[in-house]
């Protein structure tokens, strides 16, 4: 015999699960890729919450630390090259999405986590400089061209930019 759950129970369960995801990374914030929400305006709140939790489950683990001078130089060089080669259309799309930062791969350093697939830094396309001296170890990178949330930055991931 199948039992159905009340929508309020589903909502509460999903909210608690989402809260657990957010609380589970106190050392560093999560990187959540920009994904258009695949639900219509006539879907129920429970469906929206479940969808949001599924999207939040695609979190990329990040560790953060102060970058070395070499990491900063490599990130800045790659970011400048990448941004200079971006098409006018891609730049316009970034501006339309209000994305002023790009996330660029840099060299791994002595502080890099052994689990890190890549080390990235954030580059500010308006000031044409690295946004901060923070390096982020990324266990799983988003696809190139994807907008992701890294710390307080919403940045388009450009990979190594080469």
């Amino acid at each position: 015999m199948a039992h159905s759950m009340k929508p309020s129970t589903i909502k509460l369960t999903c909210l608690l699960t989402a809260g657990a995801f957010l609380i589970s990374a106190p050392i560093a914030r999560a990187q959540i890729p920009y994904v258009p929400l695949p639900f219509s305006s006539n879907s129920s709140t429970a469906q929206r919450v479940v969808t949001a939790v599924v999207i939040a489950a695609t979190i990329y683990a990040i560790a953060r630390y102060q970058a070395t001078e070499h990491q900063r130089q490599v990130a800045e060089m790659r970011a400048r090259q990448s941004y200079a080669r971006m098409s006018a259309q891609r730049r316009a799309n970034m501006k339309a999405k209000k994305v002023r930062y790009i996330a660029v791969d840099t060299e791994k350093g002595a502080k890099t986590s052994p689990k890190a697939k890549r080390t990235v830094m954030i580059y500010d396309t308006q000031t044409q400089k690295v946004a901060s001296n923070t390096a982020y170890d990324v266990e799983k990178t988003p696809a190139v061209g994807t907008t992701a949330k890294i710390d307080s930055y919403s940045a388009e991931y450009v990979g190594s930019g080469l």
Side-chain angles (χ1 to χ4, degrees):
M1 175 185 337
H3 294 271
S4 63
M5 294 180 76
K6 294 181 182 177
S8 61
T9 304
I10 293 171
K11 288 179 202 175
L12 179 61
T13 303
C14 290
L15 288 173
L16 290 173
T17 304
F21 274 94
L22 296 174
I23 293 171
S24 67
I27 295 172
R29 294 188 186 185
Q31 176 179 352
I32 303 173
Y34 169 77
V35 179
L37 297 177
F39 47 76
S40 65
S41 59
N42 62 357
S43 62
S44 73
T45 302
Q47 288 171 316
R48 291 178 188 159
V49 170
V50 168
T51 302
V53 169
V54 169
I55 290 169
T58 62
I59 292 172
Y60 303 96
I62 298 176
R64 60 182 268 176
Y65 53 88
Q66 181 142 351
T68 65
E69 184 60 32
H70 179 68
Q71 286 175 311
R72 185 181 179 93
Q73 289 172 350
V74 169
E76 199 154 293
M77 177 199 62
R78 289 178 177 176
R80 281 190 178 138
Q81 289 174 349
S82 178
Y83 193 67
R85 284 193 296 251
M86 269 188 199
S87 68
Q89 179 62 45
R90 188 168 172 191
R91 288 184 192 191
N93 288 345
M94 284 179 63
K95 193 169 188 172
K97 291 190 294 185
K98 297 184 176 163
V99 176
R100 98 182 233 184
Y101 302 100
I102 56 177
V104 62
D105 293 343
T106 189
E107 301 281 324
K108 291 182 178 183
K111 297 178 187 175
T112 302
S113 167
K115 292 182 179 181
K117 181 176 179 184
R118 301 259 192 275
T119 299
V120 300
M121 290 185 74
I122 306 300
Y123 179 79
D124 187 334
T125 61
Q126 289 181 5
T127 65
Q128 300 286 306
K129 295 182 180 177
V130 173
S132 75
N133 201 39
T134 304
Y136 301 90
D137 286 344
V138 182
E139 210 169 44
K140 182 179 177 189
T141 57
V144 171
T146 303
T147 302
K149 183 80 171 163
I150 301 174
D151 237 0
S152 60
Y153 302 101
S154 182
E156 183 169 310
Y157 181 66
V158 296
S160 64
L162 304 174

